[in-house]
Amino acid sequence: MFIINCPFCGEREQSEFKAGGEAHIIRPKQPTELSDDQWAEYLFMRKNIKGIQFERWNHAHGCRKWFNLVRDTSNDEIKAVYKMGEKPPIK
Amino acid sequence: MLSYNQALKGKKIFQDLQMEEIKPIMKLIIRGKKREFISAVGKSLNILLPTESNTSTQSDKLTALWLSPDEWMLFSNETVREDSNHYEIKELLSNKISIKNLGAITDVTDQFVMIELKGNKIYELFQTGSPFNFNDFQNKKGAVTQTILNKIDIIVHNLDKNVANLFVRRSFSQHLFSWMNDAASRL
Amino acid sequence: MTKNLRVKTGKAIDETYRISFKFNGSTYYGFKGDTLASALLANDIHLVGRSFKYHRPRGIMTAGSEEPNAIVQLHDNSSRTEPNVRATEVEIYEGLEASSQNCWPSVNFDVGGINNFLSPLLPAGFYYKTFMWPASFWEKYEYFIRKSAGLGKSPTKPDPDIYEHKYIHCDVLVIGAGISGIMAAKIAAKNNLKTLLVDEKPNLGGSTIYQNSDHFKINNQNSGSWVEKEINEIKKLENLEIKTRTTVVAYHGYNFLLARQNLTDHLPIEQRKNKTRHRLLKIRAKKVITATGSIERPMIFDNNDRPGILLSSAIKKYADYFGIACGEKNILFTNNDSAYETAISLIEKGINIEAIIDNREEINSKLIYEVEKNNIKIFKGYTIIDTSGYKRINKISIMQLSKDGQKVVGSKINLSCDCLGISGGWTPAVHLFTQSGGKLRFREEDQVFIPNTYPSDQLSIGACNGNLTLDEILRTTPESLIKFLNVKSSDYDNLEVLSEANKFKRNIWLLPSNKVLGKTKSFVDYQNDATSKDIKLALREGFRSIEHVKRYTTTGMGTDQGKLGNMHALGIISETTGTKMGELGTTTFRPPYTPLTFGTIVGRNVGEYFDVIRKTPLHDWHIDNNAEFENVGQWKRAWYYPRNTEDMHQAVQRESKAARASAGILDASTLGKIDIQGTDASEFLNRVYTNAWSKLAIGKCKYGLMLNEDGMVYDDGVTTRLGENHYIMTTTTGGAANVMSKLEDYLQTEWPELDVYLTSVTDHYATISVCGSNSKKIISKIITDVDFSDESFPHMSFKNVKIGKISCRIMRISFTGELSYEINVQANYGKSVWEKCMEAGKEFNITPYGTETMHLLRAEKGFIIVGQDTDATMTPIDLQMDWIVSKKKYDFIGKRSLYRSDTIREDRKQLVGLLTDNPDEVLEEGAQIVGDIKKSPIEMLGHVTSSYFSPNLRKSIALGVVKGGKNMMGQKLTIPMEKKNINVTVSDPVFLDKENKKLNA
Ligand SMILES: [Zn+2]
């Protein structure tokens, strides 16, 4: 169980949070203009990599805010935490 | 006339720990992002909303708990009447905030049950079912946290040394209270 | 009668406090402070069990949690019975009852012992090989195996004990209260760090506490007394919490550890009542210091498993700590100096030592000189090649080792004995370190794995870090602690240490024998009966990975996880395959370090606290009125209200009829309610629902359907416009939390520009729904100042009203198809309003109905229940709800997915009504629907989702999903059941009042 540093509330145990999958997948502004393939790319395709991964998390049992974090999936180390709309602090 | 039916009956007394529901306490969730929102609330109610996370502020009549950067819980320090659910403060805020589109005011008086805990085993009780680190919290007067206790969402407000308020949603309250009593009986 | 082998009072023993206990039915005595193992040894009992596979007699081997053999069943046939308990860890108490496992009918005569003679037929992988084929034989084999094997018996009655969990947050956790752990705890606590020190034993001080030899001194005091003084000091430290009988069982990432604190297992049963038995500690430590010590290695030679063969360090502990001689004719066999420490302890207590066998030839240390001074014969450069004695060792055979240690030479010498202590050096206890993700390094010079890289803020100190002698510990530990804890100094910076053991060890993983390998039984894993022969066989058969060899031979897979023999298994693999130990790596140590009872894991989540329970404000009324309850998520909902002898069907038929004929009342408080405010509230609803919201007038209600981005129906409910920028949304009971979370997600991440605030108010309101043709009359008796005419208060509208002085909302909405009103009142007045409705409705026979009747009534109207008639593969089009999907809106969640190639298929499963040919035949929900029953293979078309007998239509009705069902109206389909085929006709899903006349009745 991780300790996650909520950008709003500080360090809390993982059980207070909900994971929300891969980060920085932006909902298309004009979905109707997209082909089936383009829409499927947005809807279904996820990277699920071993290594540095950008993820969405929600402090569901705390402030209810969504934020992003950078996690090394090979050892679960959380490299950074940042707010929605902010640029990732590392690449 | 409607009769009033509180969620938790009776005061529970254990060695070094007591708990009971305090009712009726007026409770509002107030939401707003704009700077004018905080100042309008301040001016209307003579209370400065806490902007620092996990803290609270207090006036004669009201306490404000920080819940998130744009969300606070406001509750009355004293109990209100049982035979009416008209709250002047809510009306005042609706006029100054909602109508002017500065933010949102929502009555949650019965959404949350407020349990007052007294005694020096409050945090020992929480330790039996909450992953939150209360080590520093218990020494910080006015500290606030939202966390989980026995898998149930709670808000804890450290009122003073050995006095804390716990807020829990009404539908969970009887189960949680029973669970807390069971744990307290063996502390 | 048995002998008394108590030689003098040991450190742990209170001789004034005698305790009686039973072992295998006979009564024995021990003293307060004894473990079951020490008390049995004091009574000269070594044989305590049988091995798992060959049923060989086995005795106590160790004095700690690493014990592989002496596992017993406690309090057999009682609710407190527990199998697989290590006798070395059980503290005796008055009334303790223990019995041997793995034997039938008794430990002294065991039928399964025949396996020992059949052992050539039971090699590694025997079970795999034999039972592979034919598969149908497995049942027969299984019966035989289960009966003859079996690791103890599980309890059959409910556990009477109480278990708790506790979260602990500390700055520093120190695991193990041996000399290193005590130093660490003192340094941490004295430097203002909140420190927790835990140890699995009832007392502190590890193996140093009973060390009173003149060869090991600290500041001119023998090390035992020095540690005792330190213990007394740390007990006074304010920042330090000490927990004994507390075993760290798991070490996870982010320094999250689980420990079992044992609170009552050492007490007589009658003193345990109403006390917590175990407490599972969930520890978060900023820093962890592992000081778990080391475990002595056995030696691998033929017949190295007989009762009476113990680790040399265990013999020392039984003598020093418990005051017991493990035998009268003791022999020690060693490859290092540790056995001489044991010898000196025995000599000091007047316990006879016959001889010492040392595989080293050139040896010198002060310890050895002292032993030699006492005229004890030392066979240098010798090894044991065999032992004898079936239920107790009585003889060993030794031969000289060749220079290279590969063979034995010379002639065989036999020595008689009744106890053999073996010492193969020490293995650092790195189990917890590796559980945490730590990587090990192999140290060639003394053949041990030691911690190399730490995955979190932690440090291993003392023996578990490979510091295996007293001077090494004291020289290195204080310094590394100062650095790790980031403090200035310690009390231990200038210690004077005397430590006279020689470090030299002659490590031979598998000792040579005068027999060929196939003829020997040299046990590597005692508990699972894996021998060196099995390991070599596995390698011969082509297994290379140690993880595979482990599974094939079951080495290290017992309840002890091979704490004693794993290193030898690796050593043998390394030597046989010519791979370096460091490259071979180790198998993975997995939690728990020692077994946990289920009670400890479950804690208080049993009985009424098994799962969280949510109750509506009307719950007590339902109970008082005989309701049966249904679990809906965590909610307890009134299911139906049986009268007199009614069963569920009868009650539901009565309730359903009454609700339409006159009046029914339902507790709908569990529906999710979300308060929506903000200038963009209408736009927000446009985006999250499939239909259009901008034009909804204030005071009006509207039904909405919410999709996932993949176009599948996610939730539904009625939303009411309370003001220009103010709505209240209702969601399904089960979907409330998820809908709230999903909406917040979109607001915060996709549309942060929208001025919208969401607040859950589910619990703020009691929701009371009164329906039926007389509902208006009833409501208007309670709410007198409102015009209830259709013009003033039409269907799908709402009003703010007052009942007495209490303001509440009333909506005219319907889930039954009847005229119906829903009162939303603050929860604490809910019960009172409900009672007022009951009173006002008395003259109309108002009938409370539960969820079952609600489901029936809505099915008559063809209203769906999300989650019952849908399953995340249904689009609104599939549900024949095209009318609710706006064609004009540019976008809403899920819109684009509604015309993907897959979602526009004509042959998708679609919601239809189903009418049985026989109107009394009620279908089973979940039953499969097929087309032509004669066609092979039968084509599966769909399944039944809802099915009831409708009392209002006097026939069976059902909803179901059928491939291409939309175009199958009037078509005959078949529902094959176990005993018959049921014929149905596809129909419109709306069965009753298609024209919606009843809404305005
Ligand atoms: Zn937070």
Side-chain angles (χ1 to χ4, degrees):
Chain A
M1 285 245 247
F2 317 155
I3 296 276
I4 297 173
N5 190 6
C6 169
F8 306 99
C9 306
E11 287 189 351
R12 302 297 182 95
E13 183 170 291
Q14 188 184 345
S15 51
E16 287 189 13
F17 297 84
K18 223 172 90 177
E22 193 177 324
H24 304 298
I25 294 173
I26 298 159
R27 188 174 188 273
K29 285 270 175 282
Q30 293 164 319
T32 40
E33 321 271 298
L34 302 182
S35 70
D36 269 13
D37 284 354
Q38 287 169 318
W39 180 245
E41 181 67 29
Y42 158 73
L43 198 55
F44 302 121
M45 305 316 269
R46 298 294 182 269
K47 291 198 199 88
N48 194 26
I49 39 177
K50 180 179 179 181
I52 301 292
Q53 182 162 289
F54 298 83
E55 300 174 340
R56 287 153 30 91
W57 284 76
N58 179 226
H59 193 187
H61 303 283
C63 64
R64 297 193 291 128
K65 291 289 177 233
W66 284 88
F67 57 92
N68 295 317
L69 63 75
V70 190
R71 181 169 68 102
D72 185 337
T73 59
S74 67
N75 60 10
D76 284 341
E77 194 188 325
I78 296 171
K79 305 274 188 192
V81 177
Y82 55 105
K83 292 176 188 168
M84 280 296 161
E86 289 180 354
K87 281 223 168 75
I90 43 178
K91 276 191 182 163
Chain B
M1 270 285 270
L2 293 178
S3 58
Y4 185 90
N5 181 37
Q6 72 183 97
L8 310 174
K9 310 243 153 56
K11 181 175 187 168
K12 306 288 175 185
I13 300 171
F14 303 92
Q15 206 179 350
D16 303 318
L17 188 62
Q18 316 180 354
M19 41 194 168
E20 70 175 315
E21 177 184 353
I22 307 293
K23 53 85 201 180
I25 294 288
M26 180 214 67
K27 309 172 198 94
L28 304 174
I29 292 288
I30 62 173
R31 309 274 314 259
K33 294 188 179 88
K34 300 173 188 139
R35 189 175 290 225
E36 305 96 281
F37 166 79
I38 294 185
S39 58
V41 173
K43 269 188 221 145
S44 315
L45 304 179
N46 201 18
I47 189 169
L48 205 62
L49 288 182
T51 48
E52 190 189 329
S53 60
N54 310 314
T55 63
S56 64
T57 53
Q58 231 169 8
S59 71
D60 285 359
K61 288 187 175 143
L62 295 167
T63 303
L65 310 181
W66 181 95
L67 298 182
S68 110
D70 59 2
E71 181 171 0
W72 292 263
M73 185 196 277
L74 208 60
F75 65 89
S76 60
N77 293 339
E78 302 293 330
T79 54
V80 295
R81 295 165 63 112
E82 280 186 5
D83 62 357
S84 160
N85 63 346
H86 180 81
Y87 313 119
E88 276 167 25
I89 286 165
K90 196 207 159 199
E91 184 138 318
L92 182 71
L93 281 178
S94 296
N95 289 331
K96 303 270 180 179
I97 306 291
S98 311
I99 290 174
K100 294 184 176 164
N101 294 324
L102 289 176
I105 308 297
T106 308
D107 183 4
V108 289
T109 296
D110 286 2
Q111 167 88 352
F112 292 99
V113 170
M114 178 169 124
I115 301 169
E116 184 188 69
L117 296 106
K118 283 184 174 167
N120 58 27
K121 287 201 167 159
I122 297 170
Y123 296 99
E124 216 176 301
L125 171 68
F126 290 163
Q127 276 186 294
T128 64
S130 174
F132 184 76
N133 183 352
F134 286 103
N135 288 349
D136 293 336
F137 182 94
Q138 54 188 295
N139 300 319
K140 234 185 261 167
K141 194 177 157 175
V144 175
T145 188
Q146 296 172 88
T147 182
I148 38 184
L149 180 60
N150 181 35
K151 295 167 279 179
I152 296 168
D153 286 15
I154 56 163
I155 303 169
V156 186
H157 172 221
N158 180 5
L159 197 61
D160 209 337
K161 193 170 166 54
N162 297 337
V163 190
N165 291 320
L166 180 152
F167 297 87
V168 59
R169 289 171 67 161
R170 195 188 194 280
S171 61
F172 293 98
S173 64
Q174 290 176 6
H175 182 79
L176 183 68
F177 199 57
S178 162
W179 181 92
M180 284 163 66
N181 280 295
D182 178 59
S185 69
R186 284 185 303 277
L187 286 181
Chain C
M1 258 337 277
T2 52
K3 285 182 255 185
N4 180 4
L5 290 179
R6 193 82 61 173
V7 287
K8 64 188 270 188
T9 311
K11 199 161 182 71
I13 297 300
D14 178 358
E15 230 174 346
T16 63
Y17 196 136
R18 204 170 79 138
I19 290 169
S20 75
F21 66 97
K22 275 189 178 166
F23 180 65
N24 286 338
S26 307
T27 300
Y28 299 94
Y29 295 94
F31 295 118
K32 190 172 166 60
D34 264 325
T35 62
L36 176 59
S38 72
L40 288 171
L41 290 170
N43 286 284
D44 200 26
I45 294 169
H46 278 258
L47 171 61
V48 289
R50 293 270 176 165
S51 68
F52 181 56
K53 195 158 116 190
Y54 302 131
H55 290 241
R56 283 169 68 101
R58 288 282 165 80
I60 296 156
M61 240 198 121
T62 72
S65 59
E66 68 273 27
E67 177 62 38
N69 286 343
I71 51 177
V72 295
Q73 180 104 25
L74 297 184
H75 298 283
D76 201 0
N77 295 322
S78 87
S79 57
R80 283 201 164 80
T81 192
E82 190 174 350
N84 300 322
V85 180
R86 291 157 302 284
T88 49
E89 288 193 301
V90 177
E91 296 173 55
I92 62 164
Y93 48 83
E94 197 59 45
L96 167 69
E97 287 183 28
S99 47
S100 299
Q101 288 183 185
N102 293 348
C103 55
W104 185 83
S106 80
V107 70
N108 280 302
F109 177 76
D110 177 20
V111 169
I114 192 104
N115 284 3
N116 192 24
F117 302 105
L118 296 177
S119 65
L121 305 175
L122 294 171
F126 169 75
Y127 294 122
Y128 298 118
K129 287 170 186 160
T130 312
F131 305 128
M132 284 288 280
W133 184 91
S136 61
F137 275 28
W138 170 247
E139 277 174 36
K140 291 190 181 77
Y141 291 129
E142 192 191 19
Y143 175 77
F144 165 76
I145 292 166
R146 290 221 187 278
K147 198 161 163 63
S148 64
L151 283 165
K153 282 182 266 176
S154 7
T156 53
K157 296 176 193 122
D159 190 332
D161 281 313
I162 302 165
Y163 302 83
E164 308 234 21
H165 289 182
K166 184 177 187 177
Y167 289 86
I168 295 181
H169 299 262
C170 58
D171 293 325
V172 180
L173 169 69
V174 182
I175 311 165
I179 185 166
S180 309
I182 283 165
M183 292 197 295
K186 189 174 176 189
I187 296 173
K190 280 186 105 174
N191 281 285
N192 249 340
L193 296 165
K194 188 178 155 65
T195 306
L196 174 63
L197 171 65
V198 299
D199 194 282
E200 59 179 358
K201 299 270 185 331
N203 300 304
L204 306 180
S207 61
T208 313
I209 194 74
Y210 51 87
Q211 185 68 270
N212 57 2
S213 151
D214 286 341
H215 299 279
F216 300 94
K217 287 189 165 178
I218 304 167
N219 286 351
N220 239 343
Q221 249 179 315
N222 71 50
S223 54
S225 319
W226 184 84
V227 155
E228 196 163 350
K229 179 190 68 136
E230 289 298 308
I231 290 170
N232 290 333
E233 275 183 40
I234 63 166
K235 280 182 177 167
K236 291 178 215 143
L237 293 176
E238 227 173 68
N239 277 320
L240 177 64
E241 192 178 355
I242 301 172
K243 290 188 189 294
T244 55
R245 299 188 177 100
T246 302
T247 310
V248 173
V249 290
Y251 190 164
H252 298 293
Y254 287 77
N255 279 350
F256 181 57
L257 301 94
L258 297 175
R260 180 214 23 235
Q261 184 181 18
N262 193 334
L263 297 159
T264 62
D265 280 355
H266 60 291
L267 298 175
I269 302 263
E270 64 274 11
Q271 287 177 31
R272 299 183 191 179
K273 220 172 168 233
N274 296 325
K275 287 182 187 152
T276 304
R277 182 188 176 200
H278 293 168
R279 189 175 280 136
L280 186 71
L281 307 177
K282 301 176 172 182
I283 306 169
R284 282 284 182 185
K286 291 201 181 102
K287 288 171 180 281
V288 174
I289 296 169
T290 310
T292 45
S294 57
I295 296 170
E296 194 167 28
R297 290 179 189 170
M299 300 241 262
I300 313 299
F301 50 88
D302 193 14
N303 289 314
N304 60 344
D305 67 326
R306 299 193 187 283
I309 301 180
L310 288 86
L311 295 179
S312 152
S313 59
I315 294 177
K316 180 178 189 307
K317 181 166 186 180
Y318 286 121
D320 286 344
Y321 198 61
F322 298 103
I324 295 162
C326 290
E328 290 170 311
K329 287 154 74 177
N330 297 288
I331 291 180
L332 299 171
F333 177 34
T334 188
N335 68 3
N336 70 99
D337 264 15
S338 300
Y340 296 91
E341 292 182 41
T342 304
I344 290 166
S345 281
L346 298 188
I347 293 164
E348 189 239 338
K349 290 169 189 63
I351 302 169
N352 170 48
I353 301 172
E354 294 281 313
I356 295 179
I357 323 297
D358 195 325
N359 75 1
R360 300 172 297 178
E361 235 163 295
E362 310 261 322
I363 44 173
N364 52 60
S365 76
K366 290 193 175 153
L367 299 178
I368 295 167
Y369 299 147
E370 178 162 345
V371 171
E372 281 178 330
K373 252 192 326 206
N374 283 280
N375 295 322
I376 289 167
K377 171 76 180 155
I378 302 177
F379 291 89
K380 296 177 183 171
Y382 275 78
T383 183
I384 296 181
I385 52 158
D386 198 3
T387 69
S388 50
Y390 185 55
K391 288 181 205 162
R392 175 81 178 260
I393 189 168
N394 57 27
K395 191 180 79 185
I396 63 166
S397 307
I398 62 172
M399 280 175 85
Q400 210 166 356
L401 272 170
S402 64
K403 272 265 171 296
D404 62 1
Q406 301 283 321
K407 305 194 287 282
V408 283
V409 293
S411 53
K412 188 164 92 173
I413 303 170
N414 290 333
L415 300 168
S416 73
C417 64
D418 62 357
C419 179
L420 173 67
I422 50 180
S423 174
W426 296 83
T427 299
V430 293
H431 309 74
L432 293 176
F433 167 79
T434 56
Q435 275 183 24
S436 80
K439 295 279 176 289
L440 298 166
R441 166 171 82 82
F442 190 67
R443 192 165 69 191
E444 285 290 341
E445 67 249 39
D446 59 348
Q447 306 274 299
V448 292
F449 280 104
I450 55 171
N452 190 24
T453 53
Y454 297 103
S456 59
D457 200 356
Q458 57 165 300
L459 181 73
S460 293
I461 57 168
C464 72
N465 190 38
N467 304 127
L468 295 170
T469 61
L470 185 66
D471 58 330
E472 270 178 355
I473 292 172
L474 294 174
R475 234 177 330 102
T476 62
T477 307
E479 200 181 317
S480 57
L481 283 170
I482 285 172
K483 213 170 127 201
F484 175 68
L485 296 172
N486 204 8
V487 298
K488 289 211 172 63
S489 63
S490 80
D491 291 2
Y492 310 116
D493 293 346
N494 297 301
L495 293 178
E496 212 177 287
V497 188
L498 176 76
S499 173
E500 297 191 326
N502 188 322
K503 273 185 75 176
F504 172 63
K505 167 170 90 174
R506 189 185 189 188
N507 195 72
I508 303 171
W509 294 116
L510 174 59
L511 291 159
S513 162
N514 59 338
K515 293 181 212 147
V516 295
L517 181 70
K519 297 280 181 214
T520 62
K521 241 184 232 116
S522 317
F523 288 90
V524 175
D525 182 316
Y526 295 84
Q527 196 173 95
N528 272 355
D529 272 350
T531 64
S532 57
K533 190 172 65 185
D534 295 327
I535 293 170
K536 293 209 171 193
L537 176 68
L539 296 171
R540 237 186 2 257
E541 292 185 358
F543 291 93
R544 283 295 173 270
S545 151
I546 50 164
E547 295 287 356
H548 291 158
V549 174
K550 165 181 163 173
R551 280 158 186 79
Y552 193 58
T553 62
T554 71
T555 304
M557 288 174 72
T559 58
D560 62 337
Q561 286 194 45
K563 292 189 180 77
L564 293 188
N566 269 359
M567 282 301 293
H568 303 83
L570 292 174
I572 292 166
I573 295 169
S574 158
E575 277 171 3
T576 312
T577 60
T579 317
K580 281 194 168 170
M581 289 281 277
E583 288 161 21
L584 207 54
T586 64
T587 55
T588 316
F589 297 109
R590 289 197 171 82
Y593 178 69
T594 50
L596 289 175
T597 62
F598 281 107
T600 312
I601 296 165
V602 172
R604 288 172 59 213
N605 297 316
V606 290
E608 95 179 86
Y609 306 120
F610 175 72
D611 194 10
V612 171
I613 291 170
R614 298 179 74 178
K615 293 176 187 169
T616 77
L618 307 167
H619 189 84
D620 291 347
W621 191 92
H622 302 321
I623 289 184
D624 293 344
N625 288 273
N626 204 30
E628 291 291 331
F629 287 89
E630 178 184 28
N631 292 331
V632 181
Q634 292 172 324
W635 287 99
K636 291 279 175 202
R637 292 197 73 176
W639 194 8
Y640 58 98
Y641 302 80
R643 280 188 194 158
N644 305 319
T645 55
E646 275 180 346
D647 62 14
M648 175 161 149
H649 176 75
Q650 290 163 333
V652 169
Q653 295 289 307
R654 171 182 51 75
E655 289 171 12
S656 305
K657 256 192 270 184
R660 290 211 192 277
S662 178
I665 182 167
L666 171 82
D667 178 3
S669 307
T670 59
L671 290 178
K673 293 172 272 295
I674 301 171
D675 185 87
I676 303 173
Q677 297 182 45
T679 49
D680 294 317
S682 303
E683 170 62 15
F684 179 67
L685 290 173
N686 267 337
R687 296 188 193 184
V688 299
Y689 278 134
T690 59
N691 45 353
W693 288 79
S694 310
K695 289 190 186 128
L696 186 70
I698 293 169
K700 297 287 186 210
C701 318
K702 190 168 191 160
Y703 174 77
L705 201 59
M706 203 181 282
L707 310 185
N708 261 331
E709 207 66 273
D710 62 6
M712 304 304 155
V713 171
Y714 183 68
D715 203 80
D716 68 346
V718 170
T719 294
T720 303
R721 189 165 197 173
L722 302 171
E724 175 64 24
N725 299 320
H726 192 183
Y727 291 83
I728 179 125
M729 172 190 280
T730 57
T731 73
T732 59
T733 298
N738 289 336
V739 169
M740 180 75 183
S741 158
K742 178 188 163 100
L743 298 184
E744 273 290 344
D745 188 352
Y746 276 91
L747 268 183
Q748 290 179 31
T749 66
E750 299 294 350
W751 310 320
E753 72 282 3
L754 293 186
D755 176 37
V756 175
Y757 296 102
L758 307 176
T759 305
S760 168
V761 287
T762 303
D763 296 36
H764 183 60
Y765 295 103
T767 303
I768 297 161
S769 171
V770 179
C771 82
S773 46
N774 286 317
S775 55
K776 189 186 284 184
K777 291 178 199 149
I778 295 167
I779 296 293
S780 47
K781 274 170 82 178
I782 302 166
I783 302 160
T784 46
D785 55 349
V786 169
D787 178 1
F788 280 97
S789 69
D790 288 344
E791 297 73 45
S792 159
F793 197 172
H795 181 55
M796 296 308 262
S797 64
F798 112 97
K799 281 187 191 302
N800 283 314
V801 299
K802 273 195 169 185
I803 302 178
K805 281 184 175 175
I806 304 302
S807 318
C808 45
R809 293 176 188 147
I810 178 159
M811 279 97 171
R812 186 172 160 190
I813 51 178
S814 176
F815 191 43
T816 58
E818 295 296 321
L819 171 67
S820 163
Y821 297 90
E822 210 175 273
I823 305 168
N824 281 273
V825 61
Q826 246 173 264
N828 286 338
Y829 305 100
K831 195 176 168 199
S832 188
V833 170
W834 178 282
E835 281 163 350
K836 285 222 167 345
C837 291
M838 288 303 294
E839 207 181 290
K842 214 171 194 173
E843 57 175 303
F844 304 103
N845 183 32
I846 190 168
T847 302
Y849 65 93
T851 50
E852 193 62 24
T853 293
M854 174 188 83
H855 285 183
L856 192 159
L857 295 173
R858 65 86 209 180
E860 289 177 335
K861 274 295 287 178
F863 292 149
I864 58 154
I865 289 188
V866 173
Q868 174 161 345
D869 302 299
T870 73
D871 61 358
T873 64
M874 301 294 287
T875 69
I877 319 301
D878 299 338
L879 292 171
Q880 306 215 43
M881 290 173 78
D882 312 45
W883 54 271
I884 204 171
V885 181
S886 162
K887 306 272 182 311
K888 289 187 197 138
K889 281 200 294 182
Y890 181 69
D891 191 16
F892 56 82
I893 298 172
K895 179 179 167 97
R896 174 61 185 85
S897 291
L898 293 180
Y899 52 93
R900 288 178 56 236
S901 57
D902 183 56
T903 43
I904 56 174
R905 274 190 297 116
E906 289 284 311
D907 62 343
R908 289 178 63 83
K909 284 184 183 168
Q910 291 147 354
L911 186 83
V912 294
L914 298 167
L915 291 170
T916 48
D917 286 3
N918 171 2
D920 292 328
E921 181 95 61
V922 180
L923 298 171
E924 263 184 52
E925 287 175 0
Q928 293 295 309
I929 303 169
V930 305
D932 186 354
I933 197 95
K934 290 182 196 86
K935 213 166 106 187
S936 177
I938 297 179
E939 197 188 358
M940 315 297 278
L941 294 176
H943 64 275
V944 179
T945 58
S946 295
S947 171
Y948 307 89
F949 185 83
S950 159
N952 297 301
L953 297 161
R954 289 197 200 84
K955 65 177 178 188
S956 155
I957 55 165
L959 298 172
V961 291
V962 175
K963 275 185 194 168
K966 232 187 252 187
N967 298 320
M968 291 168 97
M969 286 307 127
Q971 211 166 307
K972 295 268 178 197
L973 296 174
T974 306
I975 294 176
M977 298 304 292
E978 198 182 353
K979 297 219 168 75
K980 59 183 166 189
N981 295 322
I982 302 171
N983 295 320
V984 297
T985 307
V986 177
S987 75
D988 183 4
V990 183
F991 301 103
L992 182 130
D993 186 27
K994 287 191 206 317
E995 305 78 25
N996 290 330
K997 283 188 193 145
K998 285 172 156 284
L999 285 173
N1000 295 309

